[in-house]
Amino acid sequence: MAKILIIEDEISFSQILCKRLNRHGHQCFQVASMEAAFAQIIDISPDAVVLDMKLGEQNSLLQLPKLRQKLPAAKIILLTGFASIATAVEAIKAGADDYLAKPVATQALLKLLFDDSDMNSTGGEQTEDIIPSPARVEWEHIQQVLKLNQGNISQTARQLGMHRRTLQRKLLKKPAR
């Protein structure tokens, strides 16, 4: 059983991720800020860290070298809702072991954290949960942009390059699996 520290300001996402990792026999700890993480890091002594790249207005990349210094043996995975090659390179240079885009599949995360090659035989998730559908990825992206625009549908529609009514229709639909 590994100890995993999840540093994520989106509490619902953090709780879901923690439950999924607990089902695989790991002990999870959740914090919502880097300050809270640094305050508890000695007591927890995690084997792995799952770190959100954007914690509120703060960019976690700036704190990554300090985190790596405090936990030299821990596996650190950076999660982001806005993946790009440039930030992936920057994250690895700053001390992350790997980089994943949200939404993250449990199997993919476990493989990066522990290199579990036989996860399917240990009660892992089904294939549908490993790779999200394009509709689900689109829905997640729309939610991220909407959150960044503080719920402003007109601004979100402009940024996404779609008509406001189209965006409203997409928001009325339930999220795809």
Side-chain angles (χ1 to χ4, degrees), residues 14 20 34 38 40 48 53 76 80 89 94 99 115 124-125 139 165 171 173:
S14 180
R20 288 161 58 192
M34 289 302 288
F38 287 126
Q40 295 181 28
M53 189 167 85
I76 300 175
T80 181
V89 170
Y99 178 91
D115 199 27
E125 295 175 3
W139 187 86
R165 274 305 291 151
L171 289 170
K173 294 180 182 176

PDB file of all heavy atoms in Angstrom, residues 14 20 34 38 40 48 53 76 80 89 94 99 115 124-125 139 165 171 173:
ATOM      1  N   SER A  14     -10.684  15.975  -6.512  1.00  0.00           N
ATOM      2  CA  SER A  14      -9.739  15.380  -5.563  1.00  0.00           C
ATOM      3  C   SER A  14     -10.373  14.208  -4.816  1.00  0.00           C
ATOM      4  O   SER A  14      -9.746  13.161  -4.644  1.00  0.00           O
ATOM      5  CB  SER A  14      -9.278  16.457  -4.584  1.00  0.00           C
ATOM      6  OG  SER A  14      -8.374  15.939  -3.658  1.00  0.00           O
ATOM      7  N   ARG A  20     -10.961   6.538  -6.079  1.00  0.00           N
ATOM      8  CA  ARG A  20     -10.503   5.602  -7.110  1.00  0.00           C
ATOM      9  C   ARG A  20      -9.168   4.966  -6.727  1.00  0.00           C
ATOM     10  O   ARG A  20      -8.974   3.760  -6.911  1.00  0.00           O
ATOM     11  CB  ARG A  20     -10.395   6.326  -8.455  1.00  0.00           C
ATOM     12  CG  ARG A  20     -11.774   6.646  -9.034  1.00  0.00           C
ATOM     13  CD  ARG A  20     -11.784   7.712 -10.090  1.00  0.00           C
ATOM     14  NE  ARG A  20     -10.957   7.469 -11.245  1.00  0.00           N
ATOM     15  CZ  ARG A  20     -10.671   8.395 -12.152  1.00  0.00           C
ATOM     16  NH1 ARG A  20     -11.156   9.618 -12.017  1.00  0.00           N
ATOM     17  NH2 ARG A  20      -9.915   8.121 -13.183  1.00  0.00           N
ATOM     18  N   MET A  34      -0.486  24.427  -1.985  1.00  0.00           N
ATOM     19  CA  MET A  34       0.913  24.065  -1.779  1.00  0.00           C
ATOM     20  C   MET A  34       1.320  24.320  -0.334  1.00  0.00           C
ATOM     21  O   MET A  34       2.093  23.561   0.236  1.00  0.00           O
ATOM     22  CB  MET A  34       1.828  24.841  -2.736  1.00  0.00           C
ATOM     23  CG  MET A  34       1.710  24.409  -4.191  1.00  0.00           C
ATOM     24  SD  MET A  34       2.048  22.657  -4.477  1.00  0.00           S
ATOM     25  CE  MET A  34       3.813  22.592  -4.236  1.00  0.00           C
ATOM     26  N   PHE A  38       3.080  21.538   2.005  1.00  0.00           N
ATOM     27  CA  PHE A  38       4.373  21.677   2.669  1.00  0.00           C
ATOM     28  C   PHE A  38       4.242  21.538   4.189  1.00  0.00           C
ATOM     29  O   PHE A  38       5.146  21.051   4.853  1.00  0.00           O
ATOM     30  CB  PHE A  38       5.047  22.994   2.292  1.00  0.00           C
ATOM     31  CG  PHE A  38       5.591  22.998   0.890  1.00  0.00           C
ATOM     32  CD1 PHE A  38       5.234  23.983  -0.008  1.00  0.00           C
ATOM     33  CD2 PHE A  38       6.466  22.011   0.465  1.00  0.00           C
ATOM     34  CE1 PHE A  38       5.735  23.987  -1.306  1.00  0.00           C
ATOM     35  CE2 PHE A  38       6.977  21.998  -0.821  1.00  0.00           C
ATOM     36  CZ  PHE A  38       6.609  22.983  -1.712  1.00  0.00           C
ATOM     37  N   GLN A  40       2.189  19.528   5.727  1.00  0.00           N
ATOM     38  CA  GLN A  40       1.896  18.143   6.103  1.00  0.00           C
ATOM     39  C   GLN A  40       2.866  17.118   5.522  1.00  0.00           C
ATOM     40  O   GLN A  40       2.781  15.938   5.843  1.00  0.00           O
ATOM     41  CB  GLN A  40       0.478  17.789   5.656  1.00  0.00           C
ATOM     42  CG  GLN A  40      -0.580  18.587   6.365  1.00  0.00           C
ATOM     43  CD  GLN A  40      -1.968  18.201   5.912  1.00  0.00           C
ATOM     44  OE1 GLN A  40      -2.210  17.073   5.504  1.00  0.00           O
ATOM     45  NE2 GLN A  40      -2.892  19.141   5.981  1.00  0.00           N
ATOM     46  N   ALA A  48       4.143   8.993  -3.368  1.00  0.00           N
ATOM     47  CA  ALA A  48       3.810   9.617  -4.645  1.00  0.00           C
ATOM     48  C   ALA A  48       2.981  10.874  -4.404  1.00  0.00           C
ATOM     49  O   ALA A  48       2.276  10.989  -3.405  1.00  0.00           O
ATOM     50  CB  ALA A  48       3.028   8.643  -5.520  1.00  0.00           C
ATOM     51  N   MET A  53      -1.586  21.463 -11.805  1.00  0.00           N
ATOM     52  CA  MET A  53      -0.702  22.532 -12.255  1.00  0.00           C
ATOM     53  C   MET A  53      -1.209  23.912 -11.847  1.00  0.00           C
ATOM     54  O   MET A  53      -0.438  24.806 -11.583  1.00  0.00           O
ATOM     55  CB  MET A  53      -0.511  22.489 -13.774  1.00  0.00           C
ATOM     56  CG  MET A  53       0.575  23.450 -14.231  1.00  0.00           C
ATOM     57  SD  MET A  53       1.091  23.194 -15.900  1.00  0.00           S
ATOM     58  CE  MET A  53      -0.127  24.139 -16.760  1.00  0.00           C
ATOM     59  N   ILE A  76       6.366  12.122  -8.678  1.00  0.00           N
ATOM     60  CA  ILE A  76       5.504  13.307  -8.780  1.00  0.00           C
ATOM     61  C   ILE A  76       4.894  13.357 -10.180  1.00  0.00           C
ATOM     62  O   ILE A  76       5.615  13.390 -11.178  1.00  0.00           O
ATOM     63  CB  ILE A  76       6.288  14.602  -8.501  1.00  0.00           C
ATOM     64  CG1 ILE A  76       6.878  14.586  -7.092  1.00  0.00           C
ATOM     65  CG2 ILE A  76       5.372  15.822  -8.687  1.00  0.00           C
ATOM     66  CD1 ILE A  76       7.770  15.762  -6.766  1.00  0.00           C
ATOM     67  N   THR A  80      -2.935  18.548 -15.504  1.00  0.00           N
ATOM     68  CA  THR A  80      -3.386  19.837 -16.003  1.00  0.00           C
ATOM     69  C   THR A  80      -4.606  19.681 -16.895  1.00  0.00           C
ATOM     70  O   THR A  80      -4.766  18.651 -17.555  1.00  0.00           O
ATOM     71  CB  THR A  80      -2.263  20.562 -16.779  1.00  0.00           C
ATOM     72  OG1 THR A  80      -2.761  21.823 -17.229  1.00  0.00           O
ATOM     73  CG2 THR A  80      -1.798  19.763 -17.973  1.00  0.00           C
ATOM     74  N   VAL A  89       7.364  19.833 -21.038  1.00  0.00           N
ATOM     75  CA  VAL A  89       8.820  19.938 -20.959  1.00  0.00           C
ATOM     76  C   VAL A  89       9.227  20.737 -19.731  1.00  0.00           C
ATOM     77  O   VAL A  89      10.125  20.348 -18.977  1.00  0.00           O
ATOM     78  CB  VAL A  89       9.393  20.572 -22.253  1.00  0.00           C
ATOM     79  CG1 VAL A  89      10.861  20.914 -22.100  1.00  0.00           C
ATOM     80  CG2 VAL A  89       9.178  19.643 -23.441  1.00  0.00           C
ATOM     81  N   ALA A  94      11.374  20.966 -14.196  1.00  0.00           N
ATOM     82  CA  ALA A  94      11.192  21.499 -12.843  1.00  0.00           C
ATOM     83  C   ALA A  94      11.183  20.402 -11.779  1.00  0.00           C
ATOM     84  O   ALA A  94      11.250  20.697 -10.594  1.00  0.00           O
ATOM     85  CB  ALA A  94       9.901  22.310 -12.762  1.00  0.00           C
ATOM     86  N   TYR A  99       3.583  13.780 -16.593  1.00  0.00           N
ATOM     87  CA  TYR A  99       2.649  14.855 -16.856  1.00  0.00           C
ATOM     88  C   TYR A  99       1.422  14.230 -17.510  1.00  0.00           C
ATOM     89  O   TYR A  99       1.566  13.486 -18.476  1.00  0.00           O
ATOM     90  CB  TYR A  99       3.382  15.787 -17.804  1.00  0.00           C
ATOM     91  CG  TYR A  99       2.649  16.991 -18.310  1.00  0.00           C
ATOM     92  CD1 TYR A  99       2.711  18.193 -17.639  1.00  0.00           C
ATOM     93  CD2 TYR A  99       1.943  16.949 -19.502  1.00  0.00           C
ATOM     94  CE1 TYR A  99       2.094  19.315 -18.125  1.00  0.00           C
ATOM     95  CE2 TYR A  99       1.312  18.062 -19.994  1.00  0.00           C
ATOM     96  CZ  TYR A  99       1.389  19.251 -19.301  1.00  0.00           C
ATOM     97  OH  TYR A  99       0.774  20.361 -19.782  1.00  0.00           O
ATOM     98  N   ASP A 115       3.963   1.808 -12.154  1.00  0.00           N
ATOM     99  CA  ASP A 115       4.280   0.907 -13.259  1.00  0.00           C
ATOM    100  C   ASP A 115       3.636  -0.457 -13.056  1.00  0.00           C
ATOM    101  O   ASP A 115       4.266  -1.495 -13.194  1.00  0.00           O
ATOM    102  CB  ASP A 115       5.802   0.765 -13.430  1.00  0.00           C
ATOM    103  CG  ASP A 115       6.145   0.227 -14.808  1.00  0.00           C
ATOM    104  OD1 ASP A 115       5.364   0.437 -15.759  1.00  0.00           O
ATOM    105  OD2 ASP A 115       7.184  -0.413 -14.926  1.00  0.00           O
ATOM    106  N   GLY A 124      -8.881  -3.833 -11.843  1.00  0.00           N
ATOM    107  CA  GLY A 124      -8.811  -2.487 -12.387  1.00  0.00           C
ATOM    108  C   GLY A 124     -10.089  -2.097 -13.089  1.00  0.00           C
ATOM    109  O   GLY A 124     -11.019  -2.879 -13.218  1.00  0.00           O
ATOM    110  N   GLU A 125     -10.127  -0.879 -13.569  1.00  0.00           N
ATOM    111  CA  GLU A 125     -11.312  -0.371 -14.251  1.00  0.00           C
ATOM    112  C   GLU A 125     -11.441  -0.984 -15.636  1.00  0.00           C
ATOM    113  O   GLU A 125     -10.490  -1.491 -16.206  1.00  0.00           O
ATOM    114  CB  GLU A 125     -11.222   1.147 -14.373  1.00  0.00           C
ATOM    115  CG  GLU A 125     -11.248   1.816 -13.022  1.00  0.00           C
ATOM    116  CD  GLU A 125     -11.034   3.299 -13.133  1.00  0.00           C
ATOM    117  OE1 GLU A 125     -10.923   3.815 -14.247  1.00  0.00           O
ATOM    118  OE2 GLU A 125     -10.976   3.941 -12.087  1.00  0.00           O
ATOM    119  N   TRP A 139     -16.808  18.078 -23.289  1.00  0.00           N
ATOM    120  CA  TRP A 139     -17.593  18.581 -22.171  1.00  0.00           C
ATOM    121  C   TRP A 139     -16.673  19.084 -21.061  1.00  0.00           C
ATOM    122  O   TRP A 139     -16.894  20.157 -20.501  1.00  0.00           O
ATOM    123  CB  TRP A 139     -18.521  17.482 -21.657  1.00  0.00           C
ATOM    124  CG  TRP A 139     -19.483  17.978 -20.621  1.00  0.00           C
ATOM    125  CD1 TRP A 139     -20.694  18.565 -20.842  1.00  0.00           C
ATOM    126  CD2 TRP A 139     -19.298  17.959 -19.200  1.00  0.00           C
ATOM    127  NE1 TRP A 139     -21.270  18.907 -19.640  1.00  0.00           N
ATOM    128  CE2 TRP A 139     -20.443  18.534 -18.614  1.00  0.00           C
ATOM    129  CE3 TRP A 139     -18.288  17.499 -18.372  1.00  0.00           C
ATOM    130  CZ2 TRP A 139     -20.598  18.671 -17.249  1.00  0.00           C
ATOM    131  CZ3 TRP A 139     -18.440  17.632 -16.996  1.00  0.00           C
ATOM    132  CH2 TRP A 139     -19.585  18.212 -16.459  1.00  0.00           C
ATOM    133  N   ARG A 165     -25.550  30.296 -28.521  1.00  0.00           N
ATOM    134  CA  ARG A 165     -26.675  29.347 -28.416  1.00  0.00           C
ATOM    135  C   ARG A 165     -26.187  27.902 -28.487  1.00  0.00           C
ATOM    136  O   ARG A 165     -26.684  27.030 -27.780  1.00  0.00           O
ATOM    137  CB  ARG A 165     -27.709  29.577 -29.526  1.00  0.00           C
ATOM    138  CG  ARG A 165     -28.761  30.604 -29.278  1.00  0.00           C
ATOM    139  CD  ARG A 165     -29.577  30.421 -28.024  1.00  0.00           C
ATOM    140  NE  ARG A 165     -30.486  29.286 -28.027  1.00  0.00           N
ATOM    141  CZ  ARG A 165     -30.855  28.630 -26.940  1.00  0.00           C
ATOM    142  NH1 ARG A 165     -30.386  28.953 -25.768  1.00  0.00           N
ATOM    143  NH2 ARG A 165     -31.686  27.635 -27.007  1.00  0.00           N
ATOM    144  N   LEU A 171     -24.261  22.895 -22.897  1.00  0.00           N
ATOM    145  CA  LEU A 171     -24.250  22.939 -21.443  1.00  0.00           C
ATOM    146  C   LEU A 171     -25.501  22.297 -20.829  1.00  0.00           C
ATOM    147  O   LEU A 171     -25.458  21.829 -19.695  1.00  0.00           O
ATOM    148  CB  LEU A 171     -24.112  24.379 -20.952  1.00  0.00           C
ATOM    149  CG  LEU A 171     -22.756  25.019 -21.178  1.00  0.00           C
ATOM    150  CD1 LEU A 171     -22.805  26.515 -20.868  1.00  0.00           C
ATOM    151  CD2 LEU A 171     -21.682  24.335 -20.371  1.00  0.00           C
ATOM    152  N   LYS A 173     -26.892  19.599 -21.925  1.00  0.00           N
ATOM    153  CA  LYS A 173     -26.753  18.148 -21.995  1.00  0.00           C
ATOM    154  C   LYS A 173     -25.966  17.642 -20.803  1.00  0.00           C
ATOM    155  O   LYS A 173     -25.113  18.318 -20.260  1.00  0.00           O
ATOM    156  CB  LYS A 173     -26.017  17.737 -23.288  1.00  0.00           C
ATOM    157  CG  LYS A 173     -26.784  18.039 -24.539  1.00  0.00           C
ATOM    158  CD  LYS A 173     -25.988  17.593 -25.729  1.00  0.00           C
ATOM    159  CE  LYS A 173     -26.719  17.936 -27.016  1.00  0.00           C
ATOM    160  NZ  LYS A 173     -25.912  17.581 -28.183  1.00  0.00           N
TER     161      LYS A 173
END
